[in-house]
mmCIF file of all heavy atoms in Angstrom:
data_model
loop_
_atom_site.group_PDB
_atom_site.id
_atom_site.type_symbol
_atom_site.label_atom_id
_atom_site.label_comp_id
_atom_site.label_asym_id
_atom_site.label_seq_id
_atom_site.Cartn_x
_atom_site.Cartn_y
_atom_site.Cartn_z
ATOM 1 N N ASP Z 247 18.277 -9.055 -18.408
ATOM 2 C CA ASP Z 247 16.878 -9.289 -18.191
ATOM 3 C C ASP Z 247 16.131 -7.942 -18.473
ATOM 4 O O ASP Z 247 16.114 -7.053 -17.647
ATOM 5 C CB ASP Z 247 16.609 -9.738 -16.760
ATOM 6 C CG ASP Z 247 15.132 -10.040 -16.507
ATOM 7 O OD1 ASP Z 247 14.319 -9.964 -17.473
ATOM 8 O OD2 ASP Z 247 14.813 -10.433 -15.371
ATOM 9 N N GLY Z 248 15.633 -7.827 -19.692
ATOM 10 C CA GLY Z 248 14.933 -6.619 -20.069
ATOM 11 C C GLY Z 248 15.856 -5.425 -20.027
ATOM 12 O O GLY Z 248 16.894 -5.433 -20.698
ATOM 13 N N ARG Z 249 15.536 -4.385 -19.284
ATOM 14 C CA ARG Z 249 16.383 -3.174 -19.254
ATOM 15 C C ARG Z 249 17.598 -3.327 -18.321
ATOM 16 O O ARG Z 249 18.403 -2.432 -18.294
ATOM 17 C CB ARG Z 249 15.510 -2.029 -18.757
ATOM 18 C CG ARG Z 249 14.341 -1.615 -19.630
ATOM 19 C CD ARG Z 249 13.638 -0.336 -19.139
ATOM 20 N NE ARG Z 249 13.076 -0.509 -17.802
ATOM 21 C CZ ARG Z 249 13.500 0.159 -16.760
ATOM 22 N NH1 ARG Z 249 14.494 1.038 -16.823
ATOM 23 N NH2 ARG Z 249 12.872 0.007 -15.600
ATOM 24 N N PHE Z 250 17.670 -4.448 -17.624
ATOM 25 C CA PHE Z 250 18.726 -4.652 -16.656
ATOM 26 C C PHE Z 250 19.775 -5.652 -17.157
ATOM 27 O O PHE Z 250 19.421 -6.705 -17.622
ATOM 28 C CB PHE Z 250 18.153 -5.132 -15.337
ATOM 29 C CG PHE Z 250 17.116 -4.255 -14.718
ATOM 30 C CD1 PHE Z 250 15.765 -4.411 -14.958
ATOM 31 C CD2 PHE Z 250 17.484 -3.183 -13.935
ATOM 32 C CE1 PHE Z 250 14.823 -3.549 -14.453
ATOM 33 C CE2 PHE Z 250 16.530 -2.309 -13.386
ATOM 34 C CZ PHE Z 250 15.189 -2.527 -13.634
ATOM 35 N N THR Z 251 21.051 -5.219 -17.056
ATOM 36 C CA THR Z 251 22.165 -6.130 -17.403
ATOM 37 C C THR Z 251 23.190 -6.067 -16.298
ATOM 38 O O THR Z 251 23.522 -4.967 -15.824
ATOM 39 C CB THR Z 251 22.826 -5.716 -18.728
ATOM 40 O OG1 THR Z 251 21.815 -5.719 -19.796
ATOM 41 C CG2 THR Z 251 23.913 -6.681 -19.111
ATOM 42 N N VAL Z 252 23.637 -7.225 -15.867
ATOM 43 C CA VAL Z 252 24.698 -7.246 -14.854
ATOM 44 C C VAL Z 252 25.979 -7.824 -15.512
ATOM 45 O O VAL Z 252 25.912 -8.791 -16.249
ATOM 46 C CB VAL Z 252 24.310 -8.030 -13.628
ATOM 47 C CG1 VAL Z 252 23.902 -9.453 -13.942
ATOM 48 C CG2 VAL Z 252 25.430 -8.046 -12.577
ATOM 49 N N PHE Z 253 27.105 -7.172 -15.271
ATOM 50 C CA PHE Z 253 28.382 -7.591 -15.793
ATOM 51 C C PHE Z 253 29.253 -7.986 -14.607
ATOM 52 O O PHE Z 253 29.268 -7.278 -13.597
ATOM 53 C CB PHE Z 253 29.057 -6.441 -16.583
ATOM 54 C CG PHE Z 253 28.345 -6.027 -17.837
ATOM 55 C CD1 PHE Z 253 27.380 -4.997 -17.766
ATOM 56 C CD2 PHE Z 253 28.572 -6.655 -19.030
ATOM 57 C CE1 PHE Z 253 26.682 -4.621 -18.924
ATOM 58 C CE2 PHE Z 253 27.928 -6.279 -20.172
ATOM 59 C CZ PHE Z 253 26.967 -5.252 -20.124
ATOM 60 N N LEU Z 254 29.996 -9.071 -14.788
ATOM 61 C CA LEU Z 254 30.889 -9.532 -13.730
ATOM 62 C C LEU Z 254 32.285 -9.630 -14.277
ATOM 63 O O LEU Z 254 32.533 -10.329 -15.282
ATOM 64 C CB LEU Z 254 30.420 -10.873 -13.181
ATOM 65 C CG LEU Z 254 31.319 -11.537 -12.138
ATOM 66 C CD1 LEU Z 254 31.466 -10.686 -10.875
ATOM 67 C CD2 LEU Z 254 30.837 -12.943 -11.797
ATOM 68 N N ASN Z 255 33.239 -9.015 -13.579
ATOM 69 C CA ASN Z 255 34.678 -9.135 -13.929
ATOM 70 C C ASN Z 255 35.315 -9.790 -12.714
ATOM 71 O O ASN Z 255 35.681 -9.139 -11.742
ATOM 72 C CB ASN Z 255 35.273 -7.760 -14.177
ATOM 73 C CG ASN Z 255 36.726 -7.840 -14.584
ATOM 74 O OD1 ASN Z 255 37.444 -8.750 -14.183
ATOM 75 N ND2 ASN Z 255 37.181 -6.831 -15.330
ATOM 76 N N LYS Z 256 35.500 -11.136 -12.791
ATOM 77 C CA LYS Z 256 35.977 -11.851 -11.644
ATOM 78 C C LYS Z 256 37.421 -11.494 -11.295
ATOM 79 O O LYS Z 256 37.790 -11.412 -10.126
ATOM 80 C CB LYS Z 256 35.936 -13.381 -11.931
ATOM 81 C CG LYS Z 256 34.629 -13.978 -11.571
ATOM 82 C CD LYS Z 256 34.678 -15.511 -11.358
ATOM 83 C CE LYS Z 256 35.574 -16.206 -12.364
ATOM 84 N NZ LYS Z 256 35.528 -17.652 -12.203
ATOM 85 N N SER Z 257 38.244 -11.277 -12.299
ATOM 86 C CA SER Z 257 39.643 -10.955 -11.992
ATOM 87 C C SER Z 257 39.788 -9.660 -11.222
ATOM 88 O O SER Z 257 40.647 -9.469 -10.382
ATOM 89 C CB SER Z 257 40.469 -10.939 -13.293
ATOM 90 O OG SER Z 257 39.973 -9.965 -14.160
ATOM 91 N N ALA Z 258 38.883 -8.719 -11.511
ATOM 92 C CA ALA Z 258 38.900 -7.434 -10.862
ATOM 93 C C ALA Z 258 38.020 -7.410 -9.617
ATOM 94 O O ALA Z 258 37.948 -6.440 -8.876
ATOM 95 C CB ALA Z 258 38.470 -6.305 -11.790
#
Side-chain angles (χ1 to χ4, degrees):
Chain Z
D247 184 1
R249 296 187 298 115
F250 302 94
T251 303
V252 56
F253 295 91
L254 175 63
N255 182 332
K256 271 200 321 183
S257 60

